[in-house]
Amino acid sequence: MDTGVPMTTIDHPARAALVDELHARPFPTISVPSTAWIVALRPERRSDRDRKAERAQLDRLIEKACQTPPPPEATHWIGRLGPLTLKWENHTEFVTFLVWGPEEKEVLRLAGDILEDAEGMRIASARFRIMQVDGDELVKEGLVAQHTADSLAAARVIDDQAVVACDFRPDAAGDMHFSVFCRTGFGPGRTGRLIQRLCDIETYRAMAMLGLIRTREMGAELAQAEASLSAGVSRLNDGASDAEETLQHLLDVAAQLERLVARASFRLSATKAYERIVNDRIASLREVRFHGRQTFGEFMSRRFDPAMRTVEATDRRLTGLTERARRAGELLRTRVEVDRSRQNRELLASMDRRSDEALRLQHTVEGLSVVAISYYAVGLVLYLVGPVQEVLPVGKPVLAAVVTPIVVLLTWAALRRIRSRLH
């Protein structure tokens, strides 16, 4: 069959992977009524993560149910473990297990097995009671029966096809409790997508809040670095301070700030990404207030958003301090270079003065040299013309008086010629 594609066409090596990425992490299909439970596990430090151990935990769970494990390179898996369904996802910083089934007792039993064999530390976990309820009165009765906290948030979602509620307070077992009341006709596919969005809100909210912990840990170091930087900057206009010592002080502060940036850059960037995911998932719920209760968006705006603004402010503060340290270092380096240029000019001027003095001294020495050489040269000449003196009608003093000027001039001319050749 003619497909209209030339046979010489060659696919890009990454094309298949890029297409598969569009279909990665599929939504679960959850029937109503059901109970669902999710946990997110991560190591205490990102560098300590052992992906092989995390995958081994999944393989052990699958082996108990005689299921075929996914390929080693898989990042997600959905399969049945007896009467339950398990969805496993391997994320950048954490791994999640989502379990659902008709019996709450069976779901909690498998949840206990997962936590007992957990690789990493629990960062988030939540339990979902999914019920089919028609009528607001029955929904309000369910809210009163399942939630007592004042922080309860409840909203109509997905065009009033469901009501979701959560008080965002963990129970004794450490689980958040979500109640999902579905209208008649709310199918398993839509229920699964709704539960997945709620799971993302809880999981990524917890991961985003790690940025707040990091900013609090950095608070004292940032304050110390800021004070040291201010002290160094105040010394820039102090003429009595040692420029080299001040520059070294600023370099130490800059190095301290760079260490803070290296430690916090990933966490602060990840917090921004997680915050965007949380806000996107809340927006996709299309919330409408339920009988005066605060919505999930309102709850987050009052508690979650200020924490994210704190992280953002700390990030800006760290960036600003780093930039200030860089500018101060450049200004001080400019001042040091100017001082060095001035010192070099003074040194060159001093060298010029010494050269002039040396030249004058050289000229003086040359004059003395002419006299000394002429003195000995006159003696030699007199020795040479001694025999001639016997036949001349002049005495030795007169002969010396005649020879001396000639010898001096010849000596001076010879030294000038030698000096001109040297230069």
Side-chain angles (χ1 to χ4, degrees):
M1 185 177 70
D2 185 8
T3 60
V5 179
M7 297 302 294
T8 57
T9 300
I10 300 176
D11 284 346
H12 190 279
R15 183 190 178 197
L18 296 175
V19 173
D20 291 341
E21 186 63 26
L22 296 176
H23 305 281
R25 311 188 190 282
F27 290 106
T29 302
I30 302 176
S31 301
V32 182
S34 293
T35 297
W37 177 84
I38 188 174
V39 65
L41 303 170
R42 72 181 296 273
E44 184 176 1
R45 292 184 297 272
R46 187 166 58 98
S47 58
D48 295 340
R49 188 173 184 190
D50 189 347
R51 294 182 180 271
K52 292 183 178 179
E54 293 173 350
R55 175 56 191 271
Q57 180 185 8
L58 174 66
D59 291 341
R60 288 191 293 270
L61 290 172
I62 296 175
E63 184 180 357
K64 292 180 181 179
C66 301
Q67 292 279 344
T68 303
E73 66 277 5
T75 58
H76 66 276
W77 181 83
I78 297 180
R80 294 195 63 82
L81 300 181
L84 305 176
T85 306
L86 173 66
K87 180 183 180 184
W88 171 82
E89 290 186 349
N90 192 346
H91 297 262
T92 302
E93 286 195 272
F94 58 93
V95 61
T96 60
F97 291 90
L98 174 61
V99 182
W100 69 90
E103 296 293 334
E104 183 177 18
K105 185 164 97 171
E106 293 295 326
V107 171
L108 297 181
R109 179 190 59 78
L110 182 55
D113 293 341
I114 292 173
L115 292 177
E116 184 179 359
D117 193 32
E119 290 293 338
M121 306 177 68
R122 177 171 60 175
I123 186 67
S125 65
R127 191 186 309 177
F128 302 85
R129 289 190 176 93
I130 309 165
M131 298 155 282
Q132 182 172 322
V133 176
D134 288 314
D136 290 354
E137 293 302 324
L138 295 177
V139 173
K140 287 193 288 186
E141 291 177 4
L143 291 179
V144 172
Q146 299 175 25
H147 303 277
T148 58
D150 294 335
S151 59
L152 177 64
R156 307 177 193 271
V157 297
I158 318 298
D159 301 325
D160 199 18
Q161 294 299 304
V163 176
V164 296
C166 181
D167 54 22
F168 294 97
R169 293 188 182 275
D171 61 10
D175 294 332
M176 298 285 189
H177 281 261
F178 286 82
S179 297
V180 181
F181 304 94
C182 301
R183 308 294 190 190
T184 301
F186 200 73
R190 299 184 73 184
T191 303
R193 290 193 293 272
L194 175 58
I195 296 300
Q196 185 64 62
R197 292 185 181 114
L198 295 176
C199 290
D200 290 346
I201 291 172
E202 173 57 21
T203 302
Y204 290 113
R205 176 203 59 79
M207 292 299 299
M209 294 296 284
L210 290 176
L212 179 64
I213 303 301
R214 178 59 58 86
T215 57
R216 288 175 177 174
E217 294 172 351
M218 293 167 50
E221 293 181 84
L222 273 179
Q224 179 184 1
E226 188 172 17
S228 298
L229 179 59
S230 299
V233 172
S234 64
R235 291 159 59 181
L236 288 177
N237 294 327
D238 187 2
S241 64
D242 185 3
E244 297 285 349
E245 181 181 350
T246 304
L247 179 59
Q248 185 59 48
H249 174 79
L250 290 175
L251 290 177
D252 292 341
V253 175
Q256 181 183 1
L257 290 171
E258 289 297 334
R259 286 193 296 270
L260 288 176
V261 170
R263 283 168 43 196
S265 60
F266 175 83
R267 177 51 50 208
L268 298 180
S269 299
T271 295
K272 293 179 182 178
Y274 294 142
E275 178 195 5
R276 286 194 293 268
I277 294 175
V278 171
N279 292 331
D280 178 71
R281 297 299 187 269
I282 292 177
S284 66
L285 295 177
R286 303 195 297 275
E287 293 183 289
V288 177
R289 190 184 304 278
F290 179 79
H291 290 278
R293 293 285 185 178
Q294 62 179 340
T295 63
F296 280 37
E298 291 173 341
F299 176 85
M300 293 296 178
S301 67
R302 196 162 61 91
R303 292 174 170 83
F304 176 73
D305 288 351
M308 297 301 99
R309 298 294 81 77
T310 300
V311 174
E312 183 180 350
T314 302
D315 190 15
R316 289 198 303 268
R317 181 186 180 191
L318 181 57
T319 303
L321 287 176
T322 304
E323 184 65 20
R324 282 179 57 195
R326 184 187 64 79
R327 290 198 304 267
E330 290 179 354
L331 288 174
L332 191 54
R333 276 193 290 270
T334 302
R335 173 184 165 186
V336 171
E337 290 175 359
V338 170
D339 290 343
R340 286 177 178 174
S341 299
R342 177 179 51 78
Q343 293 174 0
N344 290 336
R345 287 196 303 271
E346 293 175 355
L347 179 61
L348 289 174
S350 175
M351 292 176 63
D352 289 341
R353 288 194 300 270
R354 291 192 181 96
S355 298
D356 292 340
E357 293 173 357
L359 183 60
R360 288 194 295 270
L361 180 61
Q362 180 182 353
H363 291 165
T364 302
V365 172
E366 287 179 356
L368 295 176
S369 299
V370 170
V371 173
I373 294 173
S374 299
Y375 174 78
Y376 290 105
V378 168
L380 291 175
V381 171
L382 290 178
Y383 278 115
L384 291 174
V385 299
V388 181
Q389 179 189 357
E390 300 294 334
V391 297
L392 293 176
V394 293
K396 186 174 182 181
V398 175
L399 184 61
V402 173
V403 170
T404 297
I406 298 173
V407 172
V408 170
L409 289 175
L410 292 175
T411 303
W412 177 81
L415 289 178
R416 285 291 301 270
R417 184 177 180 83
I418 294 172
R419 188 175 66 183
S420 64
R421 286 183 177 180
L422 292 177
H423 291 288

